[in-house]
Amino acid sequence: MTDYDYLRNLLKTRSGLMLSADKHYLVESRLLPVVRKASLNDLAWLVLKLKSTNAESLIVEVVEAMTTNETFFFRDRIPFDHFRETIMPALIAARARERRIRIWCAAASTGQEPYTLAICLKEMGRMLAGWHVEIVATDISMEALEKAKSGIYSQFEVQRGLPIMMLVKYFTQVGELWQLTPELRGMVQFKPFNLLSDLARLGTFDVVFCRNVLIYFDQQTKPDVLDRMARVIAPDGFLALGAAETVVGLTESFKPFTDKRGIYAPNPKGGKTSGNVINLATTRAVMAASGR
């Protein structure tokens, strides 16, 4: 086994990340800083170190270095429109009795996605008065999570997708940087978590945002993650995937909504019920008629 094959297998086993055989340049560019930090000569020495005992901390560094943390506020916008205009109104109607909603951002990266959801919730104002809405944000990268917890972003980062009025409303300028208000930061719980781990440890959720993650997994890992995710989403809950992702052809644990691109619902009995897609307007009407 070559050093590159060893690194590919290590990354797949530890994070689900699948690298094709032609990504040598990507591995070198991202791992050379790790090599220098560990005072090693080259990638070959890094692999030898990874194979030795007591290499866990170095393995974590390698996985973090290879993890993509590309994100920005209101990324792709459409899922957040669905969240405000469709998902939350449906859940408010369905949870009127308990007045509790749990949201999970399964790949929080440096925090822009969960904080965008927090901003959406704040903008809903009195609609959520008296409600307890919990946002749990997880990521495999401790470095990304530390940045996320601080809620501090550069001028470039806040300019990517964030409307100027929301910047003024929810951020405070700190020198050349911008920091989210304590109230917004307090709305999100950040936790380290690997999607290959037991998802049941996190509890059950009404909404799961798992966007732009599946694209890095192989064809065996994708359905496994989706099937396990279906077991931690409420039967009338929602799953949001990235623009380039789908459940179609991967699993019958979810059904796509015909009228809401990128939004999926848990499929009872693994798709054995009639029909392969559902209409959200019909779902909301049934919920309202049943008093949910």
mmCIF file with all atom_site columns, all heavy atoms in Angstrom, residues 28 30 39 44 57 61 63 66 69 77 86 98 109 121 128 163 166 181 193 207 217 221 224 236 250 256 259 264:
data_model
loop_
_atom_site.group_PDB
_atom_site.id
_atom_site.type_symbol
_atom_site.label_atom_id
_atom_site.label_alt_id
_atom_site.label_comp_id
_atom_site.label_asym_id
_atom_site.label_entity_id
_atom_site.label_seq_id
_atom_site.pdbx_PDB_ins_code
_atom_site.Cartn_x
_atom_site.Cartn_y
_atom_site.Cartn_z
_atom_site.occupancy
_atom_site.B_iso_or_equiv
_atom_site.pdbx_formal_charge
_atom_site.auth_seq_id
_atom_site.auth_comp_id
_atom_site.auth_asym_id
_atom_site.auth_atom_id
_atom_site.pdbx_PDB_model_num
ATOM 1   N N   . GLU A 1 28  ? -1.178  16.899 -0.423 1.00 0.00 ? 28  GLU A N   1
ATOM 2   C CA  . GLU A 1 28  ? 0.100   17.562 -0.156 1.00 0.00 ? 28  GLU A CA  1
ATOM 3   C C   . GLU A 1 28  ? -0.111  18.996 0.328  1.00 0.00 ? 28  GLU A C   1
ATOM 4   O O   . GLU A 1 28  ? 0.502   19.423 1.312  1.00 0.00 ? 28  GLU A O   1
ATOM 5   C CB  . GLU A 1 28  ? 0.974   17.562 -1.410 1.00 0.00 ? 28  GLU A CB  1
ATOM 6   C CG  . GLU A 1 28  ? 1.553   16.204 -1.746 1.00 0.00 ? 28  GLU A CG  1
ATOM 7   C CD  . GLU A 1 28  ? 2.563   16.283 -2.880 1.00 0.00 ? 28  GLU A CD  1
ATOM 8   O OE1 . GLU A 1 28  ? 3.025   17.402 -3.176 1.00 0.00 ? 28  GLU A OE1 1
ATOM 9   O OE2 . GLU A 1 28  ? 2.896   15.231 -3.451 1.00 0.00 ? 28  GLU A OE2 1
ATOM 10  N N   . ARG A 1 30  ? -2.626  20.392 1.796  1.00 0.00 ? 30  ARG A N   1
ATOM 11  C CA  . ARG A 1 30  ? -3.281  20.523 3.102  1.00 0.00 ? 30  ARG A CA  1
ATOM 12  C C   . ARG A 1 30  ? -2.496  19.893 4.250  1.00 0.00 ? 30  ARG A C   1
ATOM 13  O O   . ARG A 1 30  ? -2.648  20.297 5.399  1.00 0.00 ? 30  ARG A O   1
ATOM 14  C CB  . ARG A 1 30  ? -4.682  19.915 3.039  1.00 0.00 ? 30  ARG A CB  1
ATOM 15  C CG  . ARG A 1 30  ? -5.622  20.714 2.137  1.00 0.00 ? 30  ARG A CG  1
ATOM 16  C CD  . ARG A 1 30  ? -7.048  20.326 2.342  1.00 0.00 ? 30  ARG A CD  1
ATOM 17  N NE  . ARG A 1 30  ? -7.935  21.121 1.499  1.00 0.00 ? 30  ARG A NE  1
ATOM 18  C CZ  . ARG A 1 30  ? -9.240  20.960 1.432  1.00 0.00 ? 30  ARG A CZ  1
ATOM 19  N NH1 . ARG A 1 30  ? -9.823  20.035 2.171  1.00 0.00 ? 30  ARG A NH1 1
ATOM 20  N NH2 . ARG A 1 30  ? -9.977  21.717 0.633  1.00 0.00 ? 30  ARG A NH2 1
ATOM 21  N N   . SER A 1 39  ? 7.483   18.921 12.791 1.00 0.00 ? 39  SER A N   1
ATOM 22  C CA  . SER A 1 39  ? 8.944   18.891 12.569 1.00 0.00 ? 39  SER A CA  1
ATOM 23  C C   . SER A 1 39  ? 9.380   17.624 11.838 1.00 0.00 ? 39  SER A C   1
ATOM 24  O O   . SER A 1 39  ? 10.412  17.006 12.177 1.00 0.00 ? 39  SER A O   1
ATOM 25  C CB  . SER A 1 39  ? 9.687   19.018 13.909 1.00 0.00 ? 39  SER A CB  1
ATOM 26  O OG  . SER A 1 39  ? 9.361   20.210 14.560 1.00 0.00 ? 39  SER A OG  1
ATOM 27  N N   . ALA A 1 44  ? 6.036   11.199 3.757  1.00 0.00 ? 44  ALA A N   1
ATOM 28  C CA  . ALA A 1 44  ? 6.411   9.814  4.067  1.00 0.00 ? 44  ALA A CA  1
ATOM 29  C C   . ALA A 1 44  ? 6.680   9.662  5.562  1.00 0.00 ? 44  ALA A C   1
ATOM 30  O O   . ALA A 1 44  ? 6.261   8.678  6.193  1.00 0.00 ? 44  ALA A O   1
ATOM 31  C CB  . ALA A 1 44  ? 7.637   9.401  3.249  1.00 0.00 ? 44  ALA A CB  1
ATOM 32  N N   . SER A 1 57  ? -3.480  12.075 18.469 1.00 0.00 ? 57  SER A N   1
ATOM 33  C CA  . SER A 1 57  ? -3.558  13.530 18.317 1.00 0.00 ? 57  SER A CA  1
ATOM 34  C C   . SER A 1 57  ? -3.129  13.958 16.921 1.00 0.00 ? 57  SER A C   1
ATOM 35  O O   . SER A 1 57  ? -3.697  14.891 16.331 1.00 0.00 ? 57  SER A O   1
ATOM 36  C CB  . SER A 1 57  ? -2.688  14.234 19.367 1.00 0.00 ? 57  SER A CB  1
ATOM 37  O OG  . SER A 1 57  ? -1.321  13.863 19.232 1.00 0.00 ? 57  SER A OG  1
ATOM 38  N N   . GLU A 1 61  ? -5.281  15.856 13.840 1.00 0.00 ? 61  GLU A N   1
ATOM 39  C CA  . GLU A 1 61  ? -4.775  17.006 13.069 1.00 0.00 ? 61  GLU A CA  1
ATOM 40  C C   . GLU A 1 61  ? -4.899  16.763 11.565 1.00 0.00 ? 61  GLU A C   1
ATOM 41  O O   . GLU A 1 61  ? -5.274  17.662 10.808 1.00 0.00 ? 61  GLU A O   1
ATOM 42  C CB  . GLU A 1 61  ? -3.317  17.274 13.434 1.00 0.00 ? 61  GLU A CB  1
ATOM 43  C CG  . GLU A 1 61  ? -3.119  17.968 14.760 1.00 0.00 ? 61  GLU A CG  1
ATOM 44  C CD  . GLU A 1 61  ? -1.680  18.442 14.934 1.00 0.00 ? 61  GLU A CD  1
ATOM 45  O OE1 . GLU A 1 61  ? -1.203  19.202 14.069 1.00 0.00 ? 61  GLU A OE1 1
ATOM 46  O OE2 . GLU A 1 61  ? -1.039  18.025 15.914 1.00 0.00 ? 61  GLU A OE2 1
ATOM 47  N N   . VAL A 1 63  ? -6.995  14.705 9.983  1.00 0.00 ? 63  VAL A N   1
ATOM 48  C CA  . VAL A 1 63  ? -8.410  14.716 9.594  1.00 0.00 ? 63  VAL A CA  1
ATOM 49  C C   . VAL A 1 63  ? -8.930  16.147 9.516  1.00 0.00 ? 63  VAL A C   1
ATOM 50  O O   . VAL A 1 63  ? -9.629  16.527 8.573  1.00 0.00 ? 63  VAL A O   1
ATOM 51  C CB  . VAL A 1 63  ? -9.252  13.880 10.576 1.00 0.00 ? 63  VAL A CB  1
ATOM 52  C CG1 . VAL A 1 63  ? -10.753 14.062 10.286 1.00 0.00 ? 63  VAL A CG1 1
ATOM 53  C CG2 . VAL A 1 63  ? -8.884  12.400 10.479 1.00 0.00 ? 63  VAL A CG2 1
ATOM 54  N N   . MET A 1 66  ? -7.733  18.003 6.434  1.00 0.00 ? 66  MET A N   1
ATOM 55  C CA  . MET A 1 66  ? -8.331  17.552 5.177  1.00 0.00 ? 66  MET A CA  1
ATOM 56  C C   . MET A 1 66  ? -9.822  17.864 5.088  1.00 0.00 ? 66  MET A C   1
ATOM 57  O O   . MET A 1 66  ? -10.423 17.709 4.027  1.00 0.00 ? 66  MET A O   1
ATOM 58  C CB  . MET A 1 66  ? -8.131  16.045 5.012  1.00 0.00 ? 66  MET A CB  1
ATOM 59  C CG  . MET A 1 66  ? -6.686  15.643 4.762  1.00 0.00 ? 66  MET A CG  1
ATOM 60  S SD  . MET A 1 66  ? -5.959  16.443 3.291  1.00 0.00 ? 66  MET A SD  1
ATOM 61  C CE  . MET A 1 66  ? -7.105  15.933 2.019  1.00 0.00 ? 66  MET A CE  1
ATOM 62  N N   . ASN A 1 69  ? -13.954 23.294 5.099  1.00 0.00 ? 69  ASN A N   1
ATOM 63  C CA  . ASN A 1 69  ? -14.742 24.174 5.965  1.00 0.00 ? 69  ASN A CA  1
ATOM 64  C C   . ASN A 1 69  ? -15.319 25.361 5.200  1.00 0.00 ? 69  ASN A C   1
ATOM 65  O O   . ASN A 1 69  ? -15.537 26.429 5.752  1.00 0.00 ? 69  ASN A O   1
ATOM 66  C CB  . ASN A 1 69  ? -13.871 24.680 7.136  1.00 0.00 ? 69  ASN A CB  1
ATOM 67  C CG  . ASN A 1 69  ? -13.543 23.559 8.107  1.00 0.00 ? 69  ASN A CG  1
ATOM 68  O OD1 . ASN A 1 69  ? -14.403 22.766 8.463  1.00 0.00 ? 69  ASN A OD1 1
ATOM 69  N ND2 . ASN A 1 69  ? -12.298 23.487 8.526  1.00 0.00 ? 69  ASN A ND2 1
ATOM 70  N N   . ARG A 1 77  ? -29.221 30.370 0.018  1.00 0.00 ? 77  ARG A N   1
ATOM 71  C CA  . ARG A 1 77  ? -30.444 31.114 0.367  1.00 0.00 ? 77  ARG A CA  1
ATOM 72  C C   . ARG A 1 77  ? -31.744 30.307 0.347  1.00 0.00 ? 77  ARG A C   1
ATOM 73  O O   . ARG A 1 77  ? -32.542 30.377 1.284  1.00 0.00 ? 77  ARG A O   1
ATOM 74  C CB  . ARG A 1 77  ? -30.611 32.348 -0.528 1.00 0.00 ? 77  ARG A CB  1
ATOM 75  C CG  . ARG A 1 77  ? -31.752 33.278 -0.082 1.00 0.00 ? 77  ARG A CG  1
ATOM 76  C CD  . ARG A 1 77  ? -31.586 34.663 -0.616 1.00 0.00 ? 77  ARG A CD  1
ATOM 77  N NE  . ARG A 1 77  ? -30.463 35.347 0.015  1.00 0.00 ? 77  ARG A NE  1
ATOM 78  C CZ  . ARG A 1 77  ? -30.530 35.978 1.206  1.00 0.00 ? 77  ARG A CZ  1
ATOM 79  N NH1 . ARG A 1 77  ? -31.636 35.995 1.879  1.00 0.00 ? 77  ARG A NH1 1
ATOM 80  N NH2 . ARG A 1 77  ? -29.463 36.584 1.695  1.00 0.00 ? 77  ARG A NH2 1
ATOM 81  N N   . THR A 1 86  ? -41.815 27.836 5.327  1.00 0.00 ? 86  THR A N   1
ATOM 82  C CA  . THR A 1 86  ? -42.527 26.563 5.265  1.00 0.00 ? 86  THR A CA  1
ATOM 83  C C   . THR A 1 86  ? -42.278 25.672 6.475  1.00 0.00 ? 86  THR A C   1
ATOM 84  O O   . THR A 1 86  ? -43.217 25.240 7.141  1.00 0.00 ? 86  THR A O   1
ATOM 85  C CB  . THR A 1 86  ? -42.120 25.802 3.977  1.00 0.00 ? 86  THR A CB  1
ATOM 86  O OG1 . THR A 1 86  ? -42.389 26.632 2.848  1.00 0.00 ? 86  THR A OG1 1
ATOM 87  C CG2 . THR A 1 86  ? -42.895 24.514 3.848  1.00 0.00 ? 86  THR A CG2 1
ATOM 88  N N   . GLU A 1 98  ? -46.563 21.369 22.976 1.00 0.00 ? 98  GLU A N   1
ATOM 89  C CA  . GLU A 1 98  ? -45.323 21.320 23.758 1.00 0.00 ? 98  GLU A CA  1
ATOM 90  C C   . GLU A 1 98  ? -44.463 22.567 23.587 1.00 0.00 ? 98  GLU A C   1
ATOM 91  O O   . GLU A 1 98  ? -43.615 22.860 24.422 1.00 0.00 ? 98  GLU A O   1
ATOM 92  C CB  . GLU A 1 98  ? -44.504 20.072 23.398 1.00 0.00 ? 98  GLU A CB  1
ATOM 93  C CG  . GLU A 1 98  ? -44.131 19.966 21.932 1.00 0.00 ? 98  GLU A CG  1
ATOM 94  C CD  . GLU A 1 98  ? -45.098 19.123 21.126 1.00 0.00 ? 98  GLU A CD  1
ATOM 95  O OE1 . GLU A 1 98  ? -46.317 19.218 21.352 1.00 0.00 ? 98  GLU A OE1 1
ATOM 96  O OE2 . GLU A 1 98  ? -44.615 18.377 20.258 1.00 0.00 ? 98  GLU A OE2 1
ATOM 97  N N   . SER A 1 109 ? -19.238 23.568 10.682 1.00 0.00 ? 109 SER A N   1
ATOM 98  C CA  . SER A 1 109 ? -18.021 24.251 10.258 1.00 0.00 ? 109 SER A CA  1
ATOM 99  C C   . SER A 1 109 ? -17.724 25.431 11.199 1.00 0.00 ? 109 SER A C   1
ATOM 100 O O   . SER A 1 109 ? -17.730 25.267 12.409 1.00 0.00 ? 109 SER A O   1
ATOM 101 C CB  . SER A 1 109 ? -18.149 24.713 8.805  1.00 0.00 ? 109 SER A CB  1
ATOM 102 O OG  . SER A 1 109 ? -16.937 25.236 8.333  1.00 0.00 ? 109 SER A OG  1
ATOM 103 N N   . LEU A 1 121 ? -34.676 32.754 13.146 1.00 0.00 ? 121 LEU A N   1
ATOM 104 C CA  . LEU A 1 121 ? -35.585 32.591 14.280 1.00 0.00 ? 121 LEU A CA  1
ATOM 105 C C   . LEU A 1 121 ? -35.843 33.924 14.975 1.00 0.00 ? 121 LEU A C   1
ATOM 106 O O   . LEU A 1 121 ? -36.987 34.235 15.340 1.00 0.00 ? 121 LEU A O   1
ATOM 107 C CB  . LEU A 1 121 ? -34.999 31.588 15.279 1.00 0.00 ? 121 LEU A CB  1
ATOM 108 C CG  . LEU A 1 121 ? -34.906 30.133 14.788 1.00 0.00 ? 121 LEU A CG  1
ATOM 109 C CD1 . LEU A 1 121 ? -34.142 29.289 15.795 1.00 0.00 ? 121 LEU A CD1 1
ATOM 110 C CD2 . LEU A 1 121 ? -36.292 29.544 14.551 1.00 0.00 ? 121 LEU A CD2 1
ATOM 111 N N   . LEU A 1 128 ? -42.576 33.195 17.941 1.00 0.00 ? 128 LEU A N   1
ATOM 112 C CA  . LEU A 1 128 ? -41.920 32.197 18.782 1.00 0.00 ? 128 LEU A CA  1
ATOM 113 C C   . LEU A 1 128 ? -41.900 32.601 20.254 1.00 0.00 ? 128 LEU A C   1
ATOM 114 O O   . LEU A 1 128 ? -41.174 31.995 21.044 1.00 0.00 ? 128 LEU A O   1
ATOM 115 C CB  . LEU A 1 128 ? -40.495 31.951 18.283 1.00 0.00 ? 128 LEU A CB  1
ATOM 116 C CG  . LEU A 1 128 ? -40.388 31.241 16.925 1.00 0.00 ? 128 LEU A CG  1
ATOM 117 C CD1 . LEU A 1 128 ? -38.943 31.178 16.461 1.00 0.00 ? 128 LEU A CD1 1
ATOM 118 C CD2 . LEU A 1 128 ? -40.974 29.834 17.005 1.00 0.00 ? 128 LEU A CD2 1
ATOM 119 N N   . PRO A 1 163 ? -26.999 40.098 4.637  1.00 0.00 ? 163 PRO A N   1
ATOM 120 C CA  . PRO A 1 163 ? -27.543 41.430 4.317  1.00 0.00 ? 163 PRO A CA  1
ATOM 121 C C   . PRO A 1 163 ? -27.012 42.487 5.284  1.00 0.00 ? 163 PRO A C   1
ATOM 122 O O   . PRO A 1 163 ? -26.853 42.230 6.483  1.00 0.00 ? 163 PRO A O   1
ATOM 123 C CB  . PRO A 1 163 ? -29.057 41.240 4.490  1.00 0.00 ? 163 PRO A CB  1
ATOM 124 C CG  . PRO A 1 163 ? -29.279 39.770 4.314  1.00 0.00 ? 163 PRO A CG  1
ATOM 125 C CD  . PRO A 1 163 ? -28.063 39.115 4.895  1.00 0.00 ? 163 PRO A CD  1
ATOM 126 N N   . MET A 1 166 ? -28.815 43.096 8.573  1.00 0.00 ? 166 MET A N   1
ATOM 127 C CA  . MET A 1 166 ? -28.632 42.069 9.596  1.00 0.00 ? 166 MET A CA  1
ATOM 128 C C   . MET A 1 166 ? -27.256 42.169 10.236 1.00 0.00 ? 166 MET A C   1
ATOM 129 O O   . MET A 1 166 ? -27.090 41.855 11.411 1.00 0.00 ? 166 MET A O   1
ATOM 130 C CB  . MET A 1 166 ? -28.867 40.684 8.998  1.00 0.00 ? 166 MET A CB  1
ATOM 131 C CG  . MET A 1 166 ? -30.315 40.429 8.634  1.00 0.00 ? 166 MET A CG  1
ATOM 132 S SD  . MET A 1 166 ? -30.612 38.750 8.050  1.00 0.00 ? 166 MET A SD  1
ATOM 133 C CE  . MET A 1 166 ? -32.403 38.810 7.790  1.00 0.00 ? 166 MET A CE  1
ATOM 134 N N   . THR A 1 181 ? -23.808 39.182 18.471 1.00 0.00 ? 181 THR A N   1
ATOM 135 C CA  . THR A 1 181 ? -24.240 39.572 19.806 1.00 0.00 ? 181 THR A CA  1
ATOM 136 C C   . THR A 1 181 ? -24.280 38.349 20.722 1.00 0.00 ? 181 THR A C   1
ATOM 137 O O   . THR A 1 181 ? -24.489 37.221 20.258 1.00 0.00 ? 181 THR A O   1
ATOM 138 C CB  . THR A 1 181 ? -25.648 40.187 19.756 1.00 0.00 ? 181 THR A CB  1
ATOM 139 O OG1 . THR A 1 181 ? -26.571 39.188 19.275 1.00 0.00 ? 181 THR A OG1 1
ATOM 140 C CG2 . THR A 1 181 ? -25.676 41.413 18.860 1.00 0.00 ? 181 THR A CG2 1
ATOM 141 N N   . PHE A 1 193 ? -18.533 16.317 16.890 1.00 0.00 ? 193 PHE A N   1
ATOM 142 C CA  . PHE A 1 193 ? -19.251 15.074 16.595 1.00 0.00 ? 193 PHE A CA  1
ATOM 143 C C   . PHE A 1 193 ? -18.862 14.584 15.211 1.00 0.00 ? 193 PHE A C   1
ATOM 144 O O   . PHE A 1 193 ? -18.700 15.364 14.278 1.00 0.00 ? 193 PHE A O   1
ATOM 145 C CB  . PHE A 1 193 ? -20.762 15.292 16.662 1.00 0.00 ? 193 PHE A CB  1
ATOM 146 C CG  . PHE A 1 193 ? -21.559 14.021 16.642 1.00 0.00 ? 193 PHE A CG  1
ATOM 147 C CD1 . PHE A 1 193 ? -21.643 13.202 17.762 1.00 0.00 ? 193 PHE A CD1 1
ATOM 148 C CD2 . PHE A 1 193 ? -22.211 13.613 15.483 1.00 0.00 ? 193 PHE A CD2 1
ATOM 149 C CE1 . PHE A 1 193 ? -22.359 12.023 17.743 1.00 0.00 ? 193 PHE A CE1 1
ATOM 150 C CE2 . PHE A 1 193 ? -22.931 12.437 15.446 1.00 0.00 ? 193 PHE A CE2 1
ATOM 151 C CZ  . PHE A 1 193 ? -23.011 11.635 16.575 1.00 0.00 ? 193 PHE A CZ  1
ATOM 152 N N   . VAL A 1 207 ? -35.766 19.271 12.890 1.00 0.00 ? 207 VAL A N   1
ATOM 153 C CA  . VAL A 1 207 ? -35.163 19.744 11.647 1.00 0.00 ? 207 VAL A CA  1
ATOM 154 C C   . VAL A 1 207 ? -33.686 19.376 11.654 1.00 0.00 ? 207 VAL A C   1
ATOM 155 O O   . VAL A 1 207 ? -33.003 19.574 12.664 1.00 0.00 ? 207 VAL A O   1
ATOM 156 C CB  . VAL A 1 207 ? -35.281 21.278 11.485 1.00 0.00 ? 207 VAL A CB  1
ATOM 157 C CG1 . VAL A 1 207 ? -34.753 21.709 10.123 1.00 0.00 ? 207 VAL A CG1 1
ATOM 158 C CG2 . VAL A 1 207 ? -36.698 21.752 11.694 1.00 0.00 ? 207 VAL A CG2 1
ATOM 159 N N   . PHE A 1 217 ? -18.724 11.809 0.788  1.00 0.00 ? 217 PHE A N   1
ATOM 160 C CA  . PHE A 1 217 ? -18.770 10.408 1.186  1.00 0.00 ? 217 PHE A CA  1
ATOM 161 C C   . PHE A 1 217 ? -18.894 9.500  -0.037 1.00 0.00 ? 217 PHE A C   1
ATOM 162 O O   . PHE A 1 217 ? -19.381 9.926  -1.090 1.00 0.00 ? 217 PHE A O   1
ATOM 163 C CB  . PHE A 1 217 ? -19.966 10.147 2.108  1.00 0.00 ? 217 PHE A CB  1
ATOM 164 C CG  . PHE A 1 217 ? -19.881 10.832 3.444  1.00 0.00 ? 217 PHE A CG  1
ATOM 165 C CD1 . PHE A 1 217 ? -21.021 11.023 4.213  1.00 0.00 ? 217 PHE A CD1 1
ATOM 166 C CD2 . PHE A 1 217 ? -18.677 11.290 3.941  1.00 0.00 ? 217 PHE A CD2 1
ATOM 167 C CE1 . PHE A 1 217 ? -20.961 11.645 5.447  1.00 0.00 ? 217 PHE A CE1 1
ATOM 168 C CE2 . PHE A 1 217 ? -18.594 11.920 5.171  1.00 0.00 ? 217 PHE A CE2 1
ATOM 169 C CZ  . PHE A 1 217 ? -19.738 12.098 5.927  1.00 0.00 ? 217 PHE A CZ  1
ATOM 170 N N   . THR A 1 221 ? -21.205 4.904  2.193  1.00 0.00 ? 221 THR A N   1
ATOM 171 C CA  . THR A 1 221 ? -21.365 5.704  3.405  1.00 0.00 ? 221 THR A CA  1
ATOM 172 C C   . THR A 1 221 ? -22.599 6.597  3.344  1.00 0.00 ? 221 THR A C   1
ATOM 173 O O   . THR A 1 221 ? -23.283 6.792  4.356  1.00 0.00 ? 221 THR A O   1
ATOM 174 C CB  . THR A 1 221 ? -20.111 6.575  3.641  1.00 0.00 ? 221 THR A CB  1
ATOM 175 O OG1 . THR A 1 221 ? -18.955 5.729  3.662  1.00 0.00 ? 221 THR A OG1 1
ATOM 176 C CG2 . THR A 1 221 ? -20.189 7.322  4.963  1.00 0.00 ? 221 THR A CG2 1
ATOM 177 N N   . ASP A 1 224 ? -25.846 4.899  4.464  1.00 0.00 ? 224 ASP A N   1
ATOM 178 C CA  . ASP A 1 224 ? -25.719 4.537  5.884  1.00 0.00 ? 224 ASP A CA  1
ATOM 179 C C   . ASP A 1 224 ? -25.991 5.745  6.770  1.00 0.00 ? 224 ASP A C   1
ATOM 180 O O   . ASP A 1 224 ? -26.751 5.654  7.745  1.00 0.00 ? 224 ASP A O   1
ATOM 181 C CB  . ASP A 1 224 ? -24.313 3.991  6.149  1.00 0.00 ? 224 ASP A CB  1
ATOM 182 C CG  . ASP A 1 224 ? -24.067 3.771  7.635  1.00 0.00 ? 224 ASP A CG  1
ATOM 183 O OD1 . ASP A 1 224 ? -24.760 2.929  8.228  1.00 0.00 ? 224 ASP A OD1 1
ATOM 184 O OD2 . ASP A 1 224 ? -23.206 4.475  8.201  1.00 0.00 ? 224 ASP A OD2 1
ATOM 185 N N   . ASP A 1 236 ? -42.630 13.685 11.610 1.00 0.00 ? 236 ASP A N   1
ATOM 186 C CA  . ASP A 1 236 ? -43.126 14.828 10.830 1.00 0.00 ? 236 ASP A CA  1
ATOM 187 C C   . ASP A 1 236 ? -42.064 15.922 10.715 1.00 0.00 ? 236 ASP A C   1
ATOM 188 O O   . ASP A 1 236 ? -42.375 17.089 10.501 1.00 0.00 ? 236 ASP A O   1
ATOM 189 C CB  . ASP A 1 236 ? -44.401 15.402 11.446 1.00 0.00 ? 236 ASP A CB  1
ATOM 190 C CG  . ASP A 1 236 ? -44.200 15.860 12.892 1.00 0.00 ? 236 ASP A CG  1
ATOM 191 O OD1 . ASP A 1 236 ? -43.155 15.524 13.493 1.00 0.00 ? 236 ASP A OD1 1
ATOM 192 O OD2 . ASP A 1 236 ? -45.078 16.561 13.431 1.00 0.00 ? 236 ASP A OD2 1
ATOM 193 N N   . LEU A 1 250 ? -30.400 6.563  -3.238 1.00 0.00 ? 250 LEU A N   1
ATOM 194 C CA  . LEU A 1 250 ? -29.523 6.204  -2.122 1.00 0.00 ? 250 LEU A CA  1
ATOM 195 C C   . LEU A 1 250 ? -30.253 5.493  -0.998 1.00 0.00 ? 250 LEU A C   1
ATOM 196 O O   . LEU A 1 250 ? -29.732 4.562  -0.394 1.00 0.00 ? 250 LEU A O   1
ATOM 197 C CB  . LEU A 1 250 ? -28.847 7.467  -1.553 1.00 0.00 ? 250 LEU A CB  1
ATOM 198 C CG  . LEU A 1 250 ? -27.832 8.180  -2.439 1.00 0.00 ? 250 LEU A CG  1
ATOM 199 C CD1 . LEU A 1 250 ? -27.374 9.475  -1.774 1.00 0.00 ? 250 LEU A CD1 1
ATOM 200 C CD2 . LEU A 1 250 ? -26.626 7.267  -2.705 1.00 0.00 ? 250 LEU A CD2 1
ATOM 201 N N   . PRO A 1 256 ? -38.559 13.136 -1.009 1.00 0.00 ? 256 PRO A N   1
ATOM 202 C CA  . PRO A 1 256 ? -38.428 14.559 -1.353 1.00 0.00 ? 256 PRO A CA  1
ATOM 203 C C   . PRO A 1 256 ? -39.797 15.216 -1.427 1.00 0.00 ? 256 PRO A C   1
ATOM 204 O O   . PRO A 1 256 ? -40.787 14.578 -1.763 1.00 0.00 ? 256 PRO A O   1
ATOM 205 C CB  . PRO A 1 256 ? -37.759 14.528 -2.724 1.00 0.00 ? 256 PRO A CB  1
ATOM 206 C CG  . PRO A 1 256 ? -38.173 13.219 -3.313 1.00 0.00 ? 256 PRO A CG  1
ATOM 207 C CD  . PRO A 1 256 ? -38.296 12.249 -2.167 1.00 0.00 ? 256 PRO A CD  1
ATOM 208 N N   . ASP A 1 259 ? -42.458 20.228 -4.082 1.00 0.00 ? 259 ASP A N   1
ATOM 209 C CA  . ASP A 1 259 ? -42.464 21.673 -4.299 1.00 0.00 ? 259 ASP A CA  1
ATOM 210 C C   . ASP A 1 259 ? -41.398 22.423 -3.514 1.00 0.00 ? 259 ASP A C   1
ATOM 211 O O   . ASP A 1 259 ? -41.398 23.647 -3.494 1.00 0.00 ? 259 ASP A O   1
ATOM 212 C CB  . ASP A 1 259 ? -43.844 22.247 -3.947 1.00 0.00 ? 259 ASP A CB  1
ATOM 213 C CG  . ASP A 1 259 ? -44.343 21.779 -2.579 1.00 0.00 ? 259 ASP A CG  1
ATOM 214 O OD1 . ASP A 1 259 ? -43.714 20.874 -1.985 1.00 0.00 ? 259 ASP A OD1 1
ATOM 215 O OD2 . ASP A 1 259 ? -45.349 22.317 -2.097 1.00 0.00 ? 259 ASP A OD2 1
ATOM 216 N N   . TYR A 1 264 ? -36.510 17.259 2.528  1.00 0.00 ? 264 TYR A N   1
ATOM 217 C CA  . TYR A 1 264 ? -36.976 15.877 2.548  1.00 0.00 ? 264 TYR A CA  1
ATOM 218 C C   . TYR A 1 264 ? -37.699 15.579 3.859  1.00 0.00 ? 264 TYR A C   1
ATOM 219 O O   . TYR A 1 264 ? -37.465 16.231 4.879  1.00 0.00 ? 264 TYR A O   1
ATOM 220 C CB  . TYR A 1 264 ? -35.797 14.913 2.371  1.00 0.00 ? 264 TYR A CB  1
ATOM 221 C CG  . TYR A 1 264 ? -35.034 15.161 1.099  1.00 0.00 ? 264 TYR A CG  1
ATOM 222 C CD1 . TYR A 1 264 ? -34.027 16.134 1.047  1.00 0.00 ? 264 TYR A CD1 1
ATOM 223 C CD2 . TYR A 1 264 ? -35.323 14.464 -0.062 1.00 0.00 ? 264 TYR A CD2 1
ATOM 224 C CE1 . TYR A 1 264 ? -33.342 16.395 -0.129 1.00 0.00 ? 264 TYR A CE1 1
ATOM 225 C CE2 . TYR A 1 264 ? -34.632 14.708 -1.246 1.00 0.00 ? 264 TYR A CE2 1
ATOM 226 C CZ  . TYR A 1 264 ? -33.649 15.676 -1.267 1.00 0.00 ? 264 TYR A CZ  1
ATOM 227 O OH  . TYR A 1 264 ? -32.972 15.935 -2.430 1.00 0.00 ? 264 TYR A OH  1
#
